[in-house]
Amino acid sequence: MNDSTEKYPPNFIRSIIEKDIAAGKNAGQVVTRFPPEPNGYLHIGHAKAICLSFGMAQEFGGTTNLRFDDTNPLKESTEFMESMKEDITWLGFKWNEERNASDYFEQLYQFAEQLIREDKAYVDSLSADEIREYRGTLTQPGRNSPYRARSADENLDLFRRMRAGEFADGEHVLRLKIDMASPNINMRDPTIYRIRHVHHHQTGDKWCIYPIYDYTHCISDSLEGITHSLCDLSFEDHRPLYDWVLDELNMNCHPQQIEFSRLNLQYTVMSKRKLKQLVEDKLVDGWDDPRLPTIAGLRRRGYTPGAIRDFCRRIGVTKSDNNVQLMVLEHAIREDLENTAPRVLGVVDPIKVVIENFPEGEVMALGAANHPKDESMGSREMPFTRELYIDRADFREEANRKYKRLVLGGEVRLRNAFVIKAEDVVKDSSGEIVELRCSYDPDTLGKNPEGRKVRGVIHWVSASHGVPAEIRLYEPLFTVEWPDASEKDYIELMNPASLTVKHGFVEPSLVAAGVEDRYQFEREGYFCIDRNDSKPERLVFNRVVGLRDTWAKIEQQEDS
RNA sequence: UGGGGUGUCGCCAAGUCGGUAAGGCACAAGGUUUUGAUCCUUGCAUUCGUAGGUUCGAGUCCUACCACCCCAGCCA
């Protein structure tokens, strides 16, 4: 994973780091961190941040810490911590140290006392509503709280009693004394501690006051010796506060916060709130639903860590708003699987074919390469029998010249096997085709028939030897490209056809398929064994992504 | 009417000290092909949000304007 082919193309963050190293800043070291709040599952947007923070450190011989930003016990849990560790590891990254912001609660507290003693922080006893009122608006300056003038001694006493649990939630908060008239709202005496009599998943009941992100994050970074603290653009106007705290505390390590724009990806939503609702309201099958942009979902869908990393590299890192097309992600996984996925034959929407001139009961073993270009992937045998399945879409009673598949009275090549000819169609009372009666040309195995040109090749599976399989086909979870941009509620924009379950047949070699094995079903797409539901006796495949489909495009053009 | 950002091809994105617009995705046209896949070849911004200015020369410097995004949690 560490090879140079995975290096990022030029970007502004790398330039900054290169300059810092050239200037001898931080003794030439690069230490980054990835600081998720354990209140949900990681998604593809986090993958962008992970690849960047870990990637930059890796590239310059540095290290990256994993730090759970667990300052709000109301929303967090160890379950989410575990999932995040698993996802990061699966993505292929190794953190140097695992920390929790809560590891620093005592130090954070002591720093707060220091700020109080230096008259840089005070206990405010205004209510939340009052604080909001006093804060002013975007265009109007705020006003000082009447409690702003409390003496350091009084503040210290109050703050200690806050810690001791003498007050109820919301009775007091600790605020930084900066500037209520600042044009930057974040600098208008931000709250840094609030009272919350709740159990914390790491510190238990030790604390009833919890520090706020802005105060916690910069100090945590400093304590860990982080050199470059990468985060998304929403924290850009928090940077003055980040710097203020470290400066006022005289911290000897002052990391540089650098912001980049978050990923916007087509046909999905990325906000934790929305993902959480989809999961909790059972609109999807858990955090790892293959339709979700979560790392766990992409994994279950069949995406590889390498493809996700490649995707993150392709989209780049900038400060500009970006709207990335889904096809970029799809291209990344196709490119990976094109080279690595063994080819097999699987029929998603089966229709029975009887080869009338092939003896009943006979089984012919036909060799098939596992990859058209990579002999090292070996070959296997496929049983050819009198009764087969082909895909419904590969037969038409009549069609024009552009249709290169099986037509009544016409011929087609069965992949890795013989040329067959459709002689007759059997339909049920409703007119639905239930069976095709065909003949095969025994002299076409591995060679073209004499004097005729067979234009098409279709895939097939032996009806008697094929293995039934559940095949899950996925479409985008939302019907519009940018659900977040719509004035409609995103729930209303969900795609009712995002999951289609098919019952098809796959060639018998697949009974040996293991969890998360990925294959190319030739002419169909890439499929992955579902890690939750597939059993050897009941195979379940997820379609990762279809093959590029030029034919579908041609058909569409003809329709219009 | 406050502050902070961003504007280079349909999308993403390189563009060093100003020297005459990388690349990827997508798209189009050919070629190879027992996957309408892959692969190969070719094409695809006289123009860099707009308008002025400086300069022999500007995406890169200056000025003004326009558009879009973020910020008023005791969330992160």
Side-chain angles (χ1 to χ4, degrees):
Chain A
M1 180 202 80
N2 216 343
D3 69 314
S4 56
T5 61
E6 291 213 10
K7 269 177 77 167
Y8 269 93
N11 65 61
F12 78 101
I13 293 181
R14 130 107 62 49
S15 306
I16 291 173
I17 295 176
E18 281 172 342
K19 274 184 197 125
D20 288 345
I21 291 174
K25 198 174 164 186
N26 308 309
Q29 296 300 299
V30 176
V31 182
T32 61
R33 104 270 90 116
F34 176 64
E37 182 188 18
N39 67 344
Y41 273 57
L42 262 19
H43 55 63
I44 186 78
H46 293 111
K48 172 179 178 176
I50 291 168
C51 289
L52 214 220
S53 281
F54 280 87
M56 285 300 116
Q58 233 166 241
E59 199 174 305
F60 295 102
T63 57
T64 304
N65 286 351
L66 170 60
R67 183 172 69 235
F68 292 105
D69 228 318
D70 56 353
T71 55
N72 187 358
L74 258 21
K75 296 183 175 174
E76 299 150 5
S77 77
T78 51
E79 178 212 335
F80 293 133
M81 289 172 62
E82 292 313 309
S83 75
M84 288 175 168
K85 288 199 274 185
E86 180 169 357
D87 289 345
I88 295 166
T89 301
W90 177 77
L91 265 182
F93 296 102
K94 255 188 99 132
W95 52 88
N96 178 224
E97 306 217 30
E98 180 190 331
R99 301 285 180 84
N100 287 278
S102 54
D103 295 343
Y104 310 125
F105 279 178
E106 184 58 39
Q107 290 169 86
L108 258 4
Y109 175 86
Q110 294 303 334
F111 282 129
E113 282 208 353
Q114 180 184 330
L115 289 169
I116 291 171
R117 282 192 296 271
E118 294 171 358
D119 198 31
K120 291 167 182 167
Y122 63 98
V123 172
D124 197 354
S125 307
L126 250 26
S127 71
D129 283 345
E130 290 167 325
I131 287 183
R132 190 178 317 121
E133 273 182 50
Y134 274 80
R135 184 157 34 228
T137 68
L138 294 178
T139 52
Q140 294 167 290
R143 292 136 54 209
N144 286 170
S145 164
Y147 301 100
R148 198 178 202 258
R150 285 213 258 234
S151 71
D153 285 346
E154 187 185 356
N155 282 321
L156 210 48
D157 174 62
L158 250 15
F159 188 50
R160 286 175 177 165
R161 288 164 60 197
M162 281 168 64
R163 176 179 184 169
E166 289 186 29
F167 306 113
D169 289 8
E171 247 184 278
H172 308 284
V173 293
L174 185 69
R175 292 229 254 167
L176 256 18
K177 193 181 281 190
I178 306 181
D179 177 11
M180 287 307 290
S182 171
N184 180 348
I185 289 203
N186 297 300
M187 299 299 270
R188 318 238 263 233
D189 289 9
T191 297
I192 60 169
Y193 268 95
R194 75 288 218 191
I195 300 171
R196 284 243 199 296
H197 290 271
V198 293
H199 188 83
H200 187 286
H201 53 94
Q202 298 300 308
T203 59
D205 296 311
K206 186 174 178 200
W207 295 89
C208 63
I209 57 172
Y210 292 98
I212 294 284
Y213 166 85
D214 284 308
Y215 175 71
T216 308
H217 198 80
C218 52
I219 295 176
S220 303
D221 278 352
S222 176
L223 257 18
E224 289 176 23
I226 303 300
T227 58
H228 302 269
S229 182
L230 315 182
C231 62
D232 79 69
L233 279 179
S234 63
F235 295 103
E236 200 155 27
D237 43 20
H238 291 236
R239 180 156 27 93
L241 178 50
Y242 184 105
D243 291 332
W244 188 94
V245 171
L246 296 184
D247 286 342
E248 296 303 321
L249 249 18
N250 251 302
M251 304 295 283
N252 53 12
C253 169
H254 192 133
Q256 179 180 8
Q257 173 176 303
I258 307 171
E259 312 85 7
F260 59 92
S261 56
R262 346 198 292 190
L263 164 68
N264 293 307
L265 184 63
Q266 260 180 354
Y267 294 110
T268 193
V269 295
M270 219 81 93
S271 96
K272 280 217 185 137
R273 194 202 108 229
K274 291 177 181 175
L275 292 175
K276 200 165 196 146
Q277 187 188 357
L278 292 174
V279 173
E280 288 178 350
D281 293 357
K282 306 240 185 295
L283 269 12
V284 294
D285 178 28
W287 285 101
D288 65 347
D289 186 296
R291 294 166 294 182
L292 255 20
T294 52
I295 306 294
L298 291 165
R299 176 181 183 177
R300 166 129 91 121
R301 174 79 167 258
Y303 273 81
T304 59
I308 293 174
R309 279 184 256 125
D310 183 41
F311 169 74
C312 291
R313 226 169 297 122
R314 284 170 186 275
I315 59 176
V317 182
T318 65
K319 293 176 76 126
S320 44
D321 286 349
N322 57 83
N323 299 294
V324 177
Q325 299 177 322
L326 219 211
M327 48 181 138
V328 180
L329 217 209
E330 293 181 334
H331 173 81
I333 188 60
R334 281 199 192 102
E335 186 175 86
D336 184 339
L337 264 20
E338 156 67 22
N339 297 313
T340 57
R343 270 81 237 248
V344 295
L345 300 190
V347 176
V348 176
D349 189 10
I351 173 172
K352 185 169 276 187
V353 169
V354 178
I355 311 291
E356 296 183 304
N357 59 339
F358 193 87
E360 220 158 322
E362 183 171 334
V363 180
M364 190 181 282
L366 302 179
N370 292 335
H371 190 106
K373 292 180 178 172
D374 185 355
E375 279 189 41
S376 74
M377 291 181 76
S379 62
R380 76 227 183 250
E381 289 191 333
M382 292 185 64
F384 187 85
T385 54
R386 177 180 163 91
E387 296 198 350
L388 313 168
Y389 289 115
I390 65 168
D391 198 278
R392 211 159 265 281
D394 288 337
F395 173 77
R396 285 186 189 175
E397 291 187 69
E398 48 188 270
N400 65 27
R401 282 280 298 165
K402 282 188 179 170
Y403 187 79
K404 302 198 299 187
R405 308 176 188 186
L406 188 59
V407 177
L408 191 55
E411 285 186 305
V412 79
R413 158 80 60 185
L414 292 181
R415 176 68 167 158
N416 294 135
F418 304 95
V419 169
I420 62 169
K421 181 179 182 187
E423 308 283 0
D424 202 6
V425 186
V426 182
K427 298 179 183 176
D428 64 15
S429 53
S430 67
E432 173 114 353
I433 298 171
V434 294
E435 189 177 290
L436 262 31
R437 310 296 294 191
C438 298
S439 61
Y440 87 115
D441 181 342
D443 198 31
T444 54
L445 187 61
K447 60 178 176 183
N448 289 125
E450 312 267 318
R452 291 165 285 156
K453 193 119 198 226
V454 176
R455 298 170 64 233
V457 181
I458 65 173
H459 53 99
W460 56 278
V461 166
S462 161
S464 54
H465 290 62
V467 179
E470 179 175 322
I471 298 168
R472 298 174 179 172
L473 306 179
Y474 300 100
E475 294 295 329
L477 230 204
F478 295 93
T479 53
V480 299
E481 292 181 348
W482 307 106
D484 287 329
S486 171
E487 57 294 320
K488 280 194 187 164
D489 186 81
Y490 71 106
I491 298 295
E492 290 175 40
L493 300 171
M494 289 184 72
N495 179 6
S498 59
L499 168 63
T500 307
V501 178
K502 293 285 196 180
H503 296 280
F505 293 89
V506 297
E507 59 169 88
S509 68
L510 283 174
V511 294
V515 174
E516 283 190 339
D517 279 354
R518 301 173 183 87
Y519 298 90
Q520 184 196 93
F521 288 8
E522 290 198 46
R523 301 209 317 128
E524 287 286 358
Y526 296 98
F527 293 80
C528 178
I529 290 277
D530 188 276
R531 64 197 299 257
N532 293 0
D533 301 337
S534 190
K535 307 267 181 330
E537 65 279 8
R538 183 178 165 278
L539 296 175
V540 178
F541 287 94
N542 294 318
R543 182 172 66 190
V544 190
V545 64
L547 253 28
R548 195 162 156 270
D549 193 352
T550 309
W551 169 242
K553 241 176 258 170
I554 295 169
E555 268 190 313
Q556 248 178 33
Q557 283 167 4
E558 300 213 318
D559 288 350
S560 56

